[in-house]
C-alpha cells in the first residue's frame, strides 16, 4: 500500500483541527505579549490632542497566538473583514534583499523572509490553515467576510475546508486576479492568475458594490436608451458592477509602490476588497501581513486595522511603510522573543541642554551597535561581509531607532522615529530633538531594530542632569 491520499487524510486533519480549536477557545487566557510599544508617527497627530486614540495593531509573532489573544481580549465577532495571503506551498524559501552601507560603497545581502516548505507537504499545510480559519471565523462579525488569497497549488483543497468551516451557502465568490508578469513555459499554459476565495459569516454581509469600465464592442457608442456611456482615450464604455475577474498589474520593478518584499500585493487589489467588504470605521485584519499592504490601504479609507506576521523582514518593512505613510498611531506587539537579546546599542553621549531661546534640546550620539552574527539567518558568505561592515561602521546595520522622550515606565510612546532611507542607507548617529516636553523628562526610552529584525531597547534616567542607563532589554 502506498502513502494515503490527501482525500483519505482530510477527515483526520479536520477532526484534529476542530479539537485543537476547541481547546484553544476553552483554555484560560495567558498573556502572550513580550513587549508592547505605541508608535506615533510624528506628523500624524498633535500629541496634546492625543489620548488613547490608538486602535491599530501590528503583532510580530505566530498568528495562531495572535488570533487567540484577540478572541480573548474582546475581538470575538468584531472584525468586519479578514484578508489573508498565506504562503502558497511553493516549496521555496522567500528572501529579501537588504542593501547596507559598507564604508564608501554598498553591499547587498540576501536575508531570509519566510519559509514555504512543509515537512509533510500538502497535509501539513492544510493542518496549519484549517485551525487558523476555524478561529478566524470566530473573530468575524455577523456582517463579516473573509478573503483567502491562494493559487493553483492549494486553492481546491482549501475550498473544501472553507465549505466545511463557513458552509457552502456562505460562499460568495471565487475572484480571479489576473496579471501579466512572471515566468512562461512551453510545457503548460503560462500561469497568470491567483484565486481569492470569498466567504461571509452569515447571509447578511457588507457588500458595497464597486463599478468598473466595460468597453463597448468596437469601442463605439451604443446609444441605447437609458444607458449612460462615457469615452476615454481607448474608446466608449459603460460602468458595470465589478466582475469576478480582476486584471491588475503586479508590483513591477520600477513601481512606486514597491517596498522590496518578494510577495507584496498591489494596493489596487486591496482597495477593491476593502471598499467592497467593509465600511468606514470597520476593523480590517490581515494575519499574514508581509509588507503590510492591507493596513496601508485600510488606513487610506478610514478603516481600523490589525495585522500580524512572524517574519523579521515583515516587521521592519511594515514599520517603515507605516511611518513613511504618516499612519495613525499604532501598537506594536512582540509576542515571541526570537529576535531579542542578541544585540545591543551603545550610546556615546546623551544630554539635555537649552538652546539660545531657552528651549530644551536632547542630543544623542550613537556609539556602536553589537550583534551576534551567528544568530543571523543568512548564508556564511554574507556573515563574512557583515563582519567587515561592522568593523567599518557598526551603526550601518541599524534600521530603525524609536524614542520616547518622556517615558512613564509603562508602555513606551514612540514619538520620534529614525529609519534608513533608500537614498542614504544609514541613520545619522547624531540625533537632536527639540521638544517642550523635555522640560519634565525623567526617563528616555530608546528602541533599536536592525536590518535583520533583531531588537533591543534601553531606558535612560535623567538624574541631576546626568543621564544613566537604568534598564536594558
Ligand atoms: C505571501 S506573504 C504576504 C504578502 C502580503 N500580502 C503583502 O502584500 O506584502 C505571506 C506572509 O505570511 C507570513 N507568515 C507565514 N506563516 C505565518 C504565521 N504562522 N504567522 C504569522 N505570519 C506568517 C510570512 O512571514 C509572510 O510574510
Amino acid at each position: 500500500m502506498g502513502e494515503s491520499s490527501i482525500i483519505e487524510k482530510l477527515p483526520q486533519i479536520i477532526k484534529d483541527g476542530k479539537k485543537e480549536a476547541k481547546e484553544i477557545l476553552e483554555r484560560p487566557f495567558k498573556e502572550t505579549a513580550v513587549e508592547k510599544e505605541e508608535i506615533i508617527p510624528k506628523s500624524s497627530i498633535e500629541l496634546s490632542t492625543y489620548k488613547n486614540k490608538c486602535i491599530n495593531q501590528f503583532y510580530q509573532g505566530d498568528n495562531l497566538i495572535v488570533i487567540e489573544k484577540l478572541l480573548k481580549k474582546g475581538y470575538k465577532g468584531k472584525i468586519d473583514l479578514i484578508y489573508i495571503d498565506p504562503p502558497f506551498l511553493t516549496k521555496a524559501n522567500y528572501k529579501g534583499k537588504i542593501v547596507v552601507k559598507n564604508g564608501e560603497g554598498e553591499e547587498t545581502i540576501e536575508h531570509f523572509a519566510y519559509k514555504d516548505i512543509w515537512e509533510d507537504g500538502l497535509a501539513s499545510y492544510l493542518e496549519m490553515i484549517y485551525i487558523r480559519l476555524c478561529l478566524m471565523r470566530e473573530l468575524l462579525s455577523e456582517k463579516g467576510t473573509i478573503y483567502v488569497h491562494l493559487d493553483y497549488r492549494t486553492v481546491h483543497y482549501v475550498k473544501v475546508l472553507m465549505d466545511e468551516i463557513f458552509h457552502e451557502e456562505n460562499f460568495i465568490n471565487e475572484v480571479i486576479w489576473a496579471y501579466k508578469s512572471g515566468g512562461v513555459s512551453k510545457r503548460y499554459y503560462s500561469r497568470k492568475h491567483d484565486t481569492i476565495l470569498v466567504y461571509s459569516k452569515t447571509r447578511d454581509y457588507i457588500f458595497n458594490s464597486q463599478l468598473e469600465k466595460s468597453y463597448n464592442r468596437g469601442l463605439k457608442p451604443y446609444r441605447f436608451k437609458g444607458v449612460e456611456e462615457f469615452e476615454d482615450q481607448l474608446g466608449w464604455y459603460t460602468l458595470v458592477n465589478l466582475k469576478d475577474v480582476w486584471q491588475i498589474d503586479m508590483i513591477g520593478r520600477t513601481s512606486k509602490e514597491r517596498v522590496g518584499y518578494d510577495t507584496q500585493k498591489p494596493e489596487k487589489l486591496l482597495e477593491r476588497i476593502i471598499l467592497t467588504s467593509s465600511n468606514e470605521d470597520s476593523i480590517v485584519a490581515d494575519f499574514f501581513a508581509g509588507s503590510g499592504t492591507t493596513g496601508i490601504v485600510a488606513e487610506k479609507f478610514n478603516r481600523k486595522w490589525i495585522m500580524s506576521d512572524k517574519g523579521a523582514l515583515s516587521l521592519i518593512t511594515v514599520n517603515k511603510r507605516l511611518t513613511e505613510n504618516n499612519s495613525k498611531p499604532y501598537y506594536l506587539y512582540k509576542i515571541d522573543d526570537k529576535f531579542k537579546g542578541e544585540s545591543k546599542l551603545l550610546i556615546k553621549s546623551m544630554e539635555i541642554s537649552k538652546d539660545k531661546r531657552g528651549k530644551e534640546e536632547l542630543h544623542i550620539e550613537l556609539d556602536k551597535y553589537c550583534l551576534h552574527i551567528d544568530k543571523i539567518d543568512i548564508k556564511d558568505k554574507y556573515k563574512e561581509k557583515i563582519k567587515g561592515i561592522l568593523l567599518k561602521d557598526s551603526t550601518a546595520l541599524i534600521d530603525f531607532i524609536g524614542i520616547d522622550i518622556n517615558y512613564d515606565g509603562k508602555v513606551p510612546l514612540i514619538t520620534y522615529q529614525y529609519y534608513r532611507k533608500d537614498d542614504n542607507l544609514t541613520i545619522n548617529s547624531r540625533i537632536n530633538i527639540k521638544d517642550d516636553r523635555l522640560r519634565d523628562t525623567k526617563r528616555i526610552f530608546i528602541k533599536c531594530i536592525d536590518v535583520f529584525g533583531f531588537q533591543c531597547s534601553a531606558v535612560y534616567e535623567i538624574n541631576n542632569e546626568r543621564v544613566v542607563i537604568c534598564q536594558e532589554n
Side-chain angles (χ1 to χ4, degrees):
M1 274 279 281
E3 249 237 27
S4 52
S5 76
I6 197 70
I7 298 291
E8 286 169 289
K9 287 179 185 167
L10 271 183
Q12 195 61 43
I13 293 175
I14 292 177
K15 198 170 157 215
D16 293 348
K18 275 202 160 84
K19 188 166 165 252
E20 200 186 336
K22 190 166 176 280
E23 277 166 18
I24 291 179
L25 286 171
E26 287 173 358
R27 71 185 175 202
F29 178 63
K30 212 169 95 216
E31 186 48 73
T32 40
V34 178
E35 260 174 28
K36 177 181 174 187
E37 281 135 23
E38 210 169 330
I39 311 276
I40 307 182
K42 188 84 181 104
S43 43
S44 75
I45 199 148
E46 203 17 76
L47 261 190
S48 53
T49 63
Y50 174 77
K51 247 195 194 100
N52 297 335
K53 285 209 176 120
C54 193
I55 300 155
N56 299 334
Q57 305 166 28
F58 182 84
Y59 291 83
Q60 185 189 26
D62 191 316
N63 49 25
L64 192 57
I65 307 172
V66 176
I67 296 167
E68 177 181 357
K69 180 181 164 102
L70 292 170
L71 281 169
K72 294 176 182 172
K73 283 280 180 184
Y75 285 91
K76 193 166 190 252
K78 291 287 187 323
I79 297 182
D80 283 341
L81 170 62
I82 298 176
Y83 164 84
I84 56 164
D85 173 23
F88 284 1
L89 193 72
T90 53
K91 302 184 179 125
N93 278 330
Y94 285 89
K95 291 179 224 106
K97 284 201 171 89
I98 304 164
V99 184
V100 286
K101 204 143 199 169
N102 186 5
E104 289 305 302
E106 288 173 5
E107 196 69 68
T108 302
I109 290 163
E110 270 186 9
H111 180 220
F112 172 78
Y114 71 92
K115 177 177 120 204
D116 193 6
I117 299 171
W118 302 80
E119 212 172 285
D120 196 12
L122 181 59
S124 41
Y125 179 91
L126 294 178
E127 276 164 22
M128 178 283 290
I129 205 79
Y130 182 80
I131 167 104
R132 286 166 174 79
L133 289 171
C134 280
L135 295 172
M136 282 182 214
R137 187 181 177 277
E138 299 295 311
L139 285 174
L140 278 183
S141 72
E142 292 304 295
K143 290 184 183 303
T145 317
I146 182 165
Y147 286 65
V148 181
H149 188 145
L150 302 159
D151 76 0
Y152 63 93
R153 297 173 182 93
T154 59
V155 65
H156 309 96
Y157 304 99
V158 176
K159 167 79 172 61
V160 176
L161 299 184
M162 299 282 288
D163 278 346
E164 204 273 338
I165 301 167
F166 290 88
H167 309 302
E168 265 177 81
E169 67 270 24
N170 293 321
F171 174 49
I172 305 179
N173 271 120
E174 177 193 46
V175 171
I176 301 298
W177 169 36
Y179 39 77
K180 290 188 221 122
S181 348
V184 285
S185 170
K186 288 186 178 158
R187 304 261 305 142
Y188 49 80
Y189 301 116
S190 300
R191 293 169 177 149
K192 299 291 168 199
H193 78 272
D194 290 3
T195 305
I196 306 174
L197 299 174
V198 189
Y199 281 76
S200 57
K201 179 142 173 198
T202 68
R203 296 305 297 150
D204 179 22
Y205 52 88
I206 300 170
F207 197 87
N208 308 312
S209 221
Q210 306 294 307
L211 297 174
E212 66 174 333
K213 290 177 181 178
S214 172
Y215 285 97
N216 299 352
R217 251 171 255 122
L219 300 168
K220 298 202 174 79
Y222 290 148
R223 301 201 199 289
F224 292 143
K225 237 188 172 167
V227 177
E228 204 175 350
E229 291 180 290
F230 308 89
E231 191 189 17
D232 65 10
Q233 66 280 16
L234 270 184
W236 285 85
Y237 65 89
T238 53
L239 287 174
V240 297
N241 286 349
L242 200 53
K243 297 184 275 289
D244 59 1
V245 178
W246 299 354
Q247 182 75 51
I248 297 172
D249 286 341
M250 272 193 175
I251 308 279
R253 264 173 226 275
T254 52
S255 163
K256 267 204 254 150
E257 267 183 57
R258 195 179 175 92
V259 292
Y261 201 85
D262 257 5
T263 49
Q264 180 188 355
K265 298 298 176 299
E267 290 185 18
K268 179 98 194 133
L269 181 79
L270 268 302
E271 237 175 78
R272 288 193 173 174
I273 295 172
I274 288 173
L275 288 174
T276 304
S277 294
S278 68
N279 293 324
E280 282 207 4
D281 266 350
S282 284
I283 304 178
V284 175
D286 182 345
F287 298 108
F288 295 85
S291 65
T293 315
T294 305
I296 293 290
V297 179
E299 196 154 328
K300 192 158 139 194
F301 294 104
N302 289 326
R303 273 67 169 167
K304 299 165 193 148
W305 56 260
I306 298 175
M307 294 194 282
S308 69
D309 200 289
K310 65 178 181 184
L313 200 59
S314 165
L315 168 81
I316 57 177
T317 311
V318 171
N319 228 351
K320 197 177 288 185
R321 205 169 168 193
L322 288 167
T323 309
E324 278 180 346
N325 273 272
N326 291 331
S327 73
K328 297 206 177 87
Y330 61 98
Y331 282 123
L332 179 63
Y333 291 90
K334 233 170 91 49
I335 55 170
D336 65 37
D337 37 20
K338 197 169 138 205
F339 300 102
K340 269 198 74 88
E342 308 299 345
S343 60
K344 200 172 176 174
L345 176 67
L346 304 179
I347 305 278
K348 194 180 262 172
S349 63
M350 187 183 319
E351 60 167 13
I352 298 179
S353 61
K354 288 201 168 124
D355 72 2
K356 284 182 207 136
R357 283 176 293 152
K359 286 225 170 218
E360 273 74 12
E361 241 181 307
L362 169 67
H363 310 276
I364 301 174
E365 192 174 350
L366 309 182
D367 182 13
K368 239 177 141 177
Y369 180 68
C370 314
L371 174 68
H372 285 281
I373 296 174
D374 293 340
K375 304 282 173 176
I376 314 172
D377 218 340
I378 48 173
K379 291 195 177 137
D380 285 345
K381 66 170 182 184
Y382 292 122
K383 288 191 180 166
E384 285 308 310
K385 288 186 178 167
I386 297 287
K387 277 185 198 157
I389 291 170
L390 281 171
L391 278 176
K392 283 183 206 128
D393 173 12
S394 65
T395 60
L397 297 184
I398 299 176
D399 195 64
F400 174 87
I401 299 264
I403 305 179
D404 179 351
I405 57 160
N406 209 345
Y407 180 45
D408 66 0
K410 294 178 200 146
V411 178
L413 217 68
I414 309 250
T415 44
Y416 287 90
Q417 295 100 33
Y418 304 88
Y419 55 88
R420 291 176 346 123
K421 298 206 169 109
D422 290 345
D423 48 355
N424 192 9
L425 291 182
T426 47
I427 280 182
N428 195 339
S429 59
R430 286 168 200 270
I431 296 172
N432 292 314
I433 297 173
K434 278 189 192 184
D435 192 310
D436 288 342
R437 290 177 302 140
L438 285 165
R439 216 172 298 140
D440 313 312
T441 294
K442 299 254 170 345
R443 282 191 221 101
I444 291 169
F445 174 94
I446 301 185
K447 157 123 188 169
C448 170
I449 308 179
D450 73 19
V451 293
F452 306 109
F454 289 102
Q455 303 173 29
C456 57
S457 60
V459 181
Y460 299 84
E461 212 152 79
I462 320 285
N463 225 333
N464 292 332
E465 299 194 352
R466 280 196 52 232
V467 180
V468 283
I469 188 160
C470 68
Q471 189 193 325
E472 263 181 301
N473 282 311

